[in-house]
Amino acid sequence: MSDPIRLTDLEDFYDALAESVDRATPQKAELFLAKLALQLASEVKDPATLRRALDVALQDL
Amino acid sequence: MYQASTQPRPSIFYDYQVYPYRRPPELDGQAIEHRVAVVGAGPIGLATALDLARQGIACVLLTADQQVSEGSRALAYTRRSMEILQQVGVADRIVEHGLPWRHGNSFYRGQCVYRLDVPFDDDDRYAPLTNLQQQYLEQFLIEQIQAQPLIDLRMGHKVLGVQPRADGADLQVDTPDGPYVLRCDWLVACDGARSQVRQSMQLRMEGTAYEGRFVIADIRCDLGLPTERMAFFDPPWNPGNTVLVHREPFGLWRVDYQLPPGETPEQALAPASMSARINAQLELMGKGGTPWELDWCSVYSTRTMTLTDYVHGRVIFAGDAAHMLPIFGVRGANTGWQDGHNLAWKLAMVIRGLAGPRLLPSYSSERVKAAQEIIDEAGRSVRFMTPPTPGFRLLRDAVLSLSLSQAYARPLMNWRTSRPHEYTDSTLNTADDDNSLFDGGWPQGAQIRNVRLGNDDHLLDHLGASFHLFLFHPEDRVAPGLQHTVETLRATGLPIAIVLMSATGQREVAGADLVLDDRHAHARERFGIQRGQGAYLVRPDHHVCARWMSLNGERLSRAVSRALGH
């Protein structure tokens, strides 16, 4: 496992993501998030990390 | 009493001929035990009958219609299909009239977001894909059959049911002269997706039927565009859906579009609805207002289903009768011909008494596995083209949106096309050959690819309906032990030929049935031959069953025995 993300970086991404969801508008929020997930997958590349991310996000919905 | 329509089907480009019905000798009291009956004279039944005839096996071929296919249907034939059609003698005519192609374009929001480029190998004789309307294809196959005395083609003979026997099958057949029973030792069912033989035997396919429906419309229209497949995703006139456009010979175009959910085939094929949609599509392509005329239209849905066994006693299934595959990726007829080509030589060996118990079952295991691989691959294409759930729709839309700016997302918009399958795990492959020592060439189970030998001269042009032992030797010698083994095998009735790929350019070599010039060592390179020496045993359907660095008669004899299912 690599080091956890720095708290300030996570906070910045949190804000930017929230603002981007709003910019996408409620009608396109789902589409935006799906694109974002694919874009991140193309940069993460590792199938095990991606599979784990899916499992984590599905928990406790 | 069944009477096929003798009214030529309507078409604006194809002149339908009504072929004659002939009264069967069975109706005049003749008891005939047919060796093989092939049911269905579509592309697969016609080619399989010709393939059996190449192997010296006579058959009776039954079809309800007295005309060729209604509509252009199969349309696109792969390189491998063309190689099989070359073996049965019709490839030249298809090339003469067909349109070769290898490019595809995918459009989204007015941009070409993906360009498909199927490589053309200089060693190949045929283009990756060739478009020709199914009417012509069937006509060429029928004309080839009319010159083939081993095939008794019975048109206007409708099969109503099948009674399997332990040593064959009885077919109930209806004709304009009334019904008769046709007895055969072997029945090959090539009677299509709605196979009467399959239904009569109450065999069920396994797999998935998808919701999405498509219209196929063939129009005559002068678009002045090259022969490239076009796919339009989410066009403004058909939001969320997909439209495919293919060029056909003789000035026709196929427009293939998905229907909105809930629309019935009757609504979809209503002339006003079709006109509006085709006009909108021409508009989208920048060809608005171009006059066009409809030839044929139909509605289809997508299924990925297969029987789990293609051999049921003396009844054998091939083509759509055995499996239903999505048309994305040209998988229907192109898969069926590979079935027929796999089956024909095996059934011939069984009938000649040369086969071991594992030979015929290997047809089923090899081809069911191929169908399952296709179903896995095609399922992806289908889920992209016609998303079955909101999740799949969302991800498809996300990929379309990303495709405008991100190259990595674009290959997801393409579908893999039909390809020859490798029978890597086949029981006919030899376990203790030198397969793993090769670096390159074609491994066990793979199809040997073509090799360009010269101008208009390719390796597959020279192959007949037999096993081939390809030999490579630096001094062009055929060892007496090998020669002796081959002669012994041939004495049992086994068709097998020694092909010497000559390093020295000799025309004739003792012991070789065929000598091909390989002075440039190009074939050696393609076969992955090291130090100038090696051998391949290739089945009559061109798949490798054993290969060696060095070979003696005893090893060859064992490999042939295994390849025959002993």
Side-chain angles (χ1 to χ4, degrees):
Chain A
M1 288 293 279
S2 54
D3 294 332
I5 186 169
R6 281 205 336 235
L7 182 59
T8 51
D9 288 348
L10 185 60
E11 283 171 338
D12 287 348
F13 185 69
Y14 180 99
D15 290 340
L17 180 58
E19 283 158 19
S20 299
V21 167
D22 288 337
R23 273 180 60 198
T25 75
Q27 290 76 36
K28 300 280 184 179
E30 257 194 341
L31 179 66
F32 161 73
L33 290 169
K35 285 178 68 180
L36 178 69
L38 288 172
Q39 179 62 31
L40 290 174
S42 78
E43 294 183 20
V44 169
K45 297 188 185 84
D46 175 44
T49 307
L50 294 170
R51 166 55 53 192
R52 196 164 58 243
L54 287 174
D55 291 342
V56 166
L58 268 177
Q59 274 176 36
D60 306 319
L61 287 173
Chain B
M1 214 153 74
Y2 166 79
Q3 170 71 60
S5 165
T6 51
Q7 195 64 37
R9 303 186 204 278
S11 171
I12 60 172
F13 80 99
Y14 184 79
D15 200 5
Y16 279 95
Q17 180 188 346
V18 176
Y19 295 97
Y21 154 79
R22 286 194 196 86
R23 183 182 168 91
E26 280 90 341
L27 276 173
D28 297 316
Q30 280 192 45
I32 307 175
E33 186 76 36
H34 297 275
R35 197 46 79 71
V36 180
V38 178
V39 178
I44 312 309
L46 292 165
T48 303
L50 282 166
D51 222 336
L52 284 166
R54 284 176 74 228
Q55 310 281 342
I57 301 297
C59 72
V60 56
L61 173 55
L62 301 161
T63 177
D65 288 333
Q66 288 177 239
Q67 304 177 55
V68 296
S69 147
E70 181 177 8
S72 63
R73 291 151 61 111
L75 188 63
Y77 314 119
T78 62
R79 168 188 54 72
R80 181 56 190 152
S81 294
M82 292 299 291
E83 290 170 357
I84 294 171
L85 292 166
Q86 179 189 31
Q87 301 291 313
V88 301
V90 298
D92 286 349
R93 296 189 74 188
I94 297 170
V95 169
E96 186 187 332
H97 299 280
L99 291 171
W101 62 280
R102 62 185 196 90
H103 287 111
N105 300 292
S106 297
F107 298 92
Y108 177 59
R109 291 196 191 168
Q111 271 190 49
C112 179
V113 287
Y114 181 77
R115 181 157 169 87
L116 172 74
D117 184 350
V118 188
F120 178 74
D121 190 330
D122 191 46
D123 279 298
D124 282 328
R125 175 177 279 287
Y126 302 106
L129 290 145
T130 302
N131 283 0
L132 180 67
Q133 291 93 341
Q134 187 170 324
Q135 292 101 324
Y136 286 98
L137 175 93
E138 290 186 6
Q139 179 195 322
F140 300 159
L141 286 164
I142 287 172
E143 285 166 9
Q144 191 73 6
I145 282 175
Q146 286 170 333
Q148 173 48 268
L150 286 176
I151 303 173
D152 174 3
L153 174 61
R154 297 187 180 183
M155 304 189 84
H157 291 234
K158 185 184 175 71
V159 172
L160 302 176
V162 179
Q163 216 73 58
R165 293 182 277 114
D167 61 348
D170 291 344
L171 286 162
Q172 288 85 49
V173 185
D174 203 1
T175 72
D177 290 318
Y180 70 99
V181 173
L182 183 140
R183 285 175 65 83
C184 61
D185 295 346
W186 295 93
L187 171 58
V188 181
C190 304
D191 51 345
R194 287 187 284 269
S195 169
Q196 186 59 41
V197 175
R198 189 183 70 227
Q199 289 178 36
S200 167
M201 291 175 67
Q202 299 185 323
L203 300 172
R204 298 220 170 274
M205 293 188 165
E206 292 184 359
T208 312
Y210 289 88
E211 295 272 316
R213 284 175 187 273
F214 280 77
V215 166
I216 288 184
D218 279 358
I219 59 172
R220 185 157 58 195
C221 185
D222 186 7
L223 293 180
L225 294 170
T227 313
E228 298 185 348
R229 191 258 295 136
M230 291 173 277
F232 298 84
F233 291 97
D234 192 32
W237 71 269
N238 195 357
N241 289 332
T242 309
V243 182
L244 304 174
V245 179
H246 280 274
R247 186 172 171 211
E248 301 184 14
F250 311 104
L252 271 74
W253 291 83
R254 174 181 285 186
V255 184
D256 206 344
Y257 55 86
Q258 202 180 338
L259 294 182
E263 190 167 311
T264 65
E266 292 70 32
Q267 290 167 330
L269 298 180
S273 154
M274 294 216 8
S275 256
R277 286 167 170 166
I278 289 170
N279 286 334
Q281 178 58 30
L282 293 178
E283 192 75 43
L284 180 70
M285 293 165 64
K287 303 286 176 183
T290 313
W292 56 271
E293 193 183 355
L294 182 73
D295 179 65
W296 168 74
C297 59
S298 178
V299 171
Y300 68 91
S301 60
T302 302
R303 288 160 211 276
T304 50
M305 305 184 93
T306 179
L307 291 173
T308 51
D309 198 339
Y310 296 165
V311 180
H312 292 260
R314 293 295 187 100
V315 182
I316 306 167
F317 293 85
D320 287 356
H323 43 66
M324 290 190 271
L325 304 167
I327 72 163
F328 318 126
V330 295
R331 296 162 192 283
N334 292 304
T335 304
W337 281 317
Q338 291 182 49
D339 294 340
H341 202 50
N342 186 303
L343 173 62
W345 72 270
K346 292 178 181 175
L347 187 53
M349 299 296 163
V350 169
I351 289 169
R352 287 185 191 161
L354 295 170
R358 289 181 296 106
L359 187 62
L360 202 53
S362 78
Y363 162 67
S364 188
S365 55
E366 291 176 359
R367 295 310 302 166
V368 169
K369 188 150 183 283
Q372 276 158 352
E373 281 173 29
I374 291 166
I375 286 171
D376 289 345
E377 281 183 10
R380 281 186 187 212
S381 322
V382 174
R383 290 191 293 274
F384 193 85
M385 305 277 281
T386 61
T389 67
F392 279 102
R393 179 164 293 271
L394 176 63
L395 266 294
R396 195 273 306 265
D397 292 346
V399 166
L400 289 178
S401 178
L402 284 167
S403 72
L404 294 170
S405 63
Q406 303 302 313
Y408 75 83
R410 291 171 191 154
L412 294 171
M413 308 175 70
N414 184 45
W415 47 95
R416 297 181 180 93
T417 41
S418 169
R419 57 183 171 78
H421 288 264
E422 301 197 352
Y423 308 133
T424 309
D425 305 324
S426 173
T427 57
L428 309 186
N429 295 343
T430 288
D432 60 352
D433 66 352
D434 300 331
N435 184 45
S436 57
L437 302 180
F438 277 77
D439 179 17
W442 301 289
Q444 274 188 6
Q447 179 225 321
I448 57 162
R449 292 290 306 271
N450 225 337
V451 179
R452 193 169 189 275
L453 302 172
N455 191 26
D456 195 27
D457 187 13
H458 292 73
L459 179 64
L460 298 184
D461 305 350
H462 297 272
L463 304 191
S466 67
F467 278 89
H468 290 90
L469 178 66
F470 288 91
L471 290 182
F472 300 84
H473 186 277
E475 286 130 41
D476 286 346
R477 272 210 313 271
V478 179
L482 285 181
Q483 211 175 317
H484 175 73
T485 301
V486 167
E487 277 161 18
T488 309
L489 289 166
R490 217 178 263 150
T492 68
L494 182 78
I496 179 167
I498 293 183
V499 184
L500 183 83
M501 305 303 290
S502 170
T504 62
Q506 294 183 67
R507 295 280 179 83
E508 285 190 25
V509 172
D513 301 292
L514 177 65
V515 181
L516 296 172
D517 188 349
D518 190 38
R519 273 175 294 179
H520 298 297
H522 182 53
R524 278 170 164 66
E525 186 196 330
R526 295 273 287 172
F527 277 79
I529 300 298
Q530 296 150 36
R531 290 182 292 281
Q533 191 167 341
Y536 273 67
L537 180 63
V538 175
R539 316 187 326 188
D541 59 4
H542 304 162
H543 285 261
V544 176
C545 47
R547 56 179 183 166
W548 301 270
M549 296 287 176
S550 65
L551 178 61
N552 59 35
E554 200 258 324
R555 291 183 97 186
L556 174 63
S557 177
R558 269 191 290 138
V560 169
S561 174
R562 185 149 183 99
L564 289 171
H566 291 288

